């Protein structure tokens, strides 16, 4: 797939995928493998990855409103995978709209996935009220309803705001106090320690500043309560790295007082250039990560930022990732200490998915 140069087009192209429920966790695993493989092919140094194809973020959205705390159930003492409440290893993205019955506890036990990201929360008919996919409220049956059982099984989940469909809360809710309250509602409802923002309007300076101030306020509240609130941004990456508007957004968000733990890079994995050539489609992903690294480091005010990069390859076909490439991906990820791996797009083969989820822990 050619490198995307038009930012709006790249963002609009990200339509949610619709793989069978049973393959969601597996798909996530395999895609992550793909990314790593591509990167692994470059030198082992943490600066080894440069030029990537256009991105298609196959993210989904929910047509149902937030469950109440009583619906979601009280959160038991956390048997958390990370004492800091931040994602690690392999993170499965769950489209709560297209797969509202996805069984989080079962995936943790069967597929050995311990971290999930649930998306996407956007504004609905009321501009300052978070809803799944901006849709109407629906009683019961939501993925998020299973969070208490997931945590009891040793897993955890974060919340994704924004995405390819609907408006992110900060763009619609222009009153800062109400915006903070809206984010807080979602965080408190699901007892979340991790939130992600998949931003579609990075060039809107007022929205960027409003969101940043809201995040900073929520992080101060969490710290005062003896907790942490981990924040990441999910952004498309190409061979040139991040778009200039995304780099500016990250820098402005940091300067406004918000702490960004990681930048999750969405990188498209294209088909292999020929029969038996499994590496060709992965090199662009590695190149994209390399191009984005110095940009992310500068935006976050860090000399080195490899541990602040999460990687989410987007597969166009389950054949884009092989077991051999999966092993290389795991090795690269470990060597360069990337924050976490995820996957979107086509489902990988079950064998590859199992290897990824087992090997990242």
């Amino acid at each position: 797939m050619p490198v995307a140069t038009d930012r709006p087009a790249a963002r609009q192209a990200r339509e949610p995928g619709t793989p069978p429920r049973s393959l969601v966790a597996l798909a996530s695993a395999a895609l992550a493998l793909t990314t790593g493989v591509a990167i692994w092919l470059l030198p082992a140094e943490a600066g080894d990855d440069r030029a990537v194809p256009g991105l298609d973020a196959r993210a989904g959205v929910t047509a149902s409103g937030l469950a109440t705390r009583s619906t979601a159930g009280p959160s038991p003492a956390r048997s958390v995978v990370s004492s800091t409440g931040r994602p690690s290893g392999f993170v499965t993205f769950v489209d709560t709209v297209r797969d509202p019955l996805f069984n989080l506890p079962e995936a943790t036990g069967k597929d050995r996935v311990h971290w999930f990201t649930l998306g996407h929360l956007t504004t609905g008919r009321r501009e300052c009220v978070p809803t799944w996919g901006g849709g109407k409220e629906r009683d019961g049956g939501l993925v998020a309803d299973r969070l208490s059982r997931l945590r009891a099984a040793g897993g955890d989940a974060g919340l994704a705001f924004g995405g390819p469909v609907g408006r992110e809360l900060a763009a619609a809710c222009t009153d800062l106090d109400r915006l903070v309250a809206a984010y807080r509602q979602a965080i408190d409802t699901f007892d979340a320690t991790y939130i992600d923002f998949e931003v579609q309007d990075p060039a809107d300076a007022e929205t960027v500043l409003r969101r940043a101030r809201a995040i900073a306020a929520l992080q101060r509240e969490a710290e005062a309560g003896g907790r942490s609130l981990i924040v990441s941004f999910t952004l498309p990456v190409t061979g040139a790295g991040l778009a200039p508007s995304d780099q500016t957004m990250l820098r402005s968000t940091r300067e406004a007082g918000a702490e960004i733990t990681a930048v999750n890079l969405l990188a498209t994995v294209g088909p292999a250039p020929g029969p038996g050539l499994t590496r060709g489609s992965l090199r662009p992903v590695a190149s994209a990560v390399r191009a984005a690294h110095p940009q992310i480091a500068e935006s976050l005010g860090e000399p080195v930022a490899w541990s602040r990069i999460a990687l989410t390859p987007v597969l166009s076909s389950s054949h884009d990732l092989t077991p051999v490439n999966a092993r290389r991906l795991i090795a690269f990820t470990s060597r360069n200490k990337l924050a976490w791996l995820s996957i979107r797009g086509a489902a990988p083969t079950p064998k590859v998915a199992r290897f990824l989820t087992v090997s990242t822990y």
Side-chain angles (χ1 to χ4, degrees):
M1 183 177 291
V3 174
T5 55
D6 180 69
R7 179 45 176 264
R11 291 188 181 278
Q12 293 172 6
R14 291 180 285 163
E15 295 299 330
T18 58
R21 182 173 62 217
S22 61
L23 292 179
V24 174
L26 293 179
S28 303
L31 188 44
L33 285 177
T34 313
T35 310
V37 176
I39 304 175
W40 183 88
L41 296 175
L42 301 175
E45 302 290 357
D48 271 351
D49 327 320
R50 242 204 142 234
V52 116
L55 165 97
D56 176 14
R58 316 284 175 83
V61 215
T62 331
S64 40
L66 287 179
T68 62
R69 180 172 288 279
S70 59
T71 301
S75 297
R78 287 172 175 268
S79 178
V80 201
V81 284
S82 168
S83 60
T84 60
R86 73 180 58 191
S88 60
F90 183 80
V91 178
T92 293
F93 176 83
V94 180
D95 182 338
T96 60
V97 173
R98 295 188 177 276
D99 202 358
L101 300 180
F102 184 87
N103 195 317
L104 296 169
E106 180 179 288
T108 294
K110 179 181 178 181
D111 302 318
R112 302 189 185 183
V113 178
H114 298 283
W115 266 104
F116 300 84
T117 301
L118 311 182
H120 288 95
L121 285 164
T122 61
T123 186
R125 289 176 298 177
R126 291 179 290 175
E127 57 192 15
C128 295
V129 177
T131 58
W132 292 110
K136 299 178 181 179
E137 292 196 8
R138 180 176 59 189
D139 294 330
L142 294 178
V143 172
D145 296 351
R146 300 172 174 82
L147 282 178
S148 59
R149 288 193 290 128
L150 168 66
R151 287 165 179 155
D156 209 344
L159 307 175
F161 292 91
V165 181
R167 301 180 72 192
E168 202 277 304
L169 284 164
C173 186
T174 58
D175 182 273
L176 180 59
D177 290 339
R178 295 181 67 195
L179 178 62
V180 172
Y183 287 141
R184 186 190 297 119
Q185 177 193 355
I187 292 168
D188 288 352
T189 296
F190 301 117
D191 196 21
T193 60
Y194 161 59
I195 58 176
D196 176 73
F197 294 89
E198 191 168 334
V199 177
Q200 307 298 310
D201 55 351
D204 185 337
E206 291 186 5
T207 296
V208 168
L209 181 58
R210 187 162 50 245
R211 181 189 299 113
R213 288 174 173 171
I215 292 171
L218 291 166
Q219 289 180 321
R220 288 194 297 269
E221 289 180 7
E223 183 178 6
R227 301 180 58 184
S228 61
L229 180 61
I230 304 303
V231 172
S232 68
F233 280 81
T234 290
L235 303 170
V237 66
T238 68
L242 294 177
S245 57
D246 280 334
Q247 297 175 51
T248 300
M249 178 196 67
L250 291 173
R251 183 172 60 253
S252 298
T253 299
R254 173 180 62 83
E255 292 175 347
E259 182 179 348
I260 302 172
T261 295
V263 178
N264 179 31
L265 299 178
L266 286 167
T268 298
V269 177
L277 299 179
T278 61
R279 296 185 179 186
S281 61
L282 297 175
R283 284 188 179 278
V285 174
S287 298
V289 175
R290 179 184 177 185
H293 173 257
Q295 299 166 347
I296 293 172
E298 181 180 3
S299 297
L300 300 185
E302 301 284 349
V304 178
W306 288 102
S307 63
R308 310 284 286 275
I309 294 175
L311 185 57
T312 299
V314 181
L315 292 177
S316 59
S317 166
S318 60
H319 300 296
D320 288 343
L321 193 62
T322 67
V324 170
N325 282 340
R327 293 187 183 90
R328 290 172 174 166
L329 171 60
I330 297 301
F332 172 85
T333 302
S334 174
R335 183 166 56 244
N336 292 292
K337 297 181 172 60
L338 296 186
W340 65 81
L341 290 171
S342 189
I343 186 173
R344 298 191 195 178
T349 64
K351 180 179 180 180
V352 168
R354 281 194 299 272
F355 179 81
L356 177 61
T357 55
V358 169
S359 300
T360 47
Y361 288 94

